[in-house]
Amino acid sequence: MGEYGVKIPFLNPAGAAKFVDHQVTKANDIIKTWQGEEIEGFGIIGAPLSKSSISHSGAALAPTTIRRALSAFTTYSIEDDVDIKDCWVFDLGDVTMHVTDIPLSQRRIEETITEILKEHQNFIPILLGGDHSVSAPSIKAFKKNKGTVGVIQFDAHHDLRNLQDGGTTNGTPFRTLLEDKVIEGKHLVQIGIRDFSNSKEYFMYGKENGVKIYTMKDVREKPIKSLLADAIQYLKPLVDVIYVSVDMDVVDQAHAPGCPAIGPGGMDSQSLLEGIAYLGEESYVKGIDIVEIDPTLDVRDMTSRLGAHVILQFLKGKRKSLDY
Ligand code: CA
């Protein structure tokens, strides 16, 4: 009888043969499965919830596709001559969503992040949605652990819809946070709000509550780094930490086709990435989420790949400022 486990040359038991080049570190190689150890730095958490979306959405599938997209890229930034191969990122897995109960699922996100932030003071979460409703519980968890939270929201939409008409959906996360007094209007900076994508009522609601709103016109007319420098300078005296929420639909439909709410006239992908790297350098920035990618609508995972680059640029910023 033959011995089990005898290696047959060139036969890869895992399936497809893989090209290995030992000079290259792939971005997914810096991801480590979390096994309960102390977290001094970054951790990915998936929040696969999209039943809370106003329109049809498969964004619950995005944590998987964004993670997978990391394997397509390396850890080296040629523009800054920075290699993030030592920026270890724990993968904490996904928050288990209830099959039908949306508020319960949102509470689970809040409780999970609250618990981890409490246990691991230096944890910098990278939350992968899901639709934009997942940001509200995540920011609530920040508030519980980190004091006054400032939010920089990249978005085509205000997400300030009233809660009476549909509960806590992906149209209401920032209204929820204002009404629950988790943040004040002046602690919220919205970037990339777009034409013909919002009603005047919600713009007025934002203005009346002191939300700082930069439209796409503002983004076009000012380099993204100086616009964000203004936002940071404005927020810093008011808050203890800054949380960055990236609704991928801030990006033009040509660059991010896999969003449920696509449209023209949005940000180009390079501006977003440059902005995220810049924000990563800022020590006040202690968490980020990436939401509203629906892999079932995407083209060749273009939008998940952009999501993966948001993670990499964020890590690059942190690596550059040695803030990790
Ligand atoms: Ca949004």
Side-chain angles (χ1 to χ4, degrees), residues 132 153-159 170-171 173-174 247 249 291-292:
H132 215 157
Q153 172 198 354
F154 289 87
D155 208 326
H157 314 93
H158 294 295
D159 289 0
N170 64 338
F174 300 97
D247 184 329
D249 73 21
V291 299
E292 296 288 342

Side-chain angles (χ1 to χ4, degrees), residues 11 25 36 43 80 88 110 136 162 194 225 258 303:
L11 181 62
T25 309
D80 293 272
W88 294 105
E110 181 181 342
N162 76 76
R194 203 181 298 173
K225 281 207 273 192
T303 318

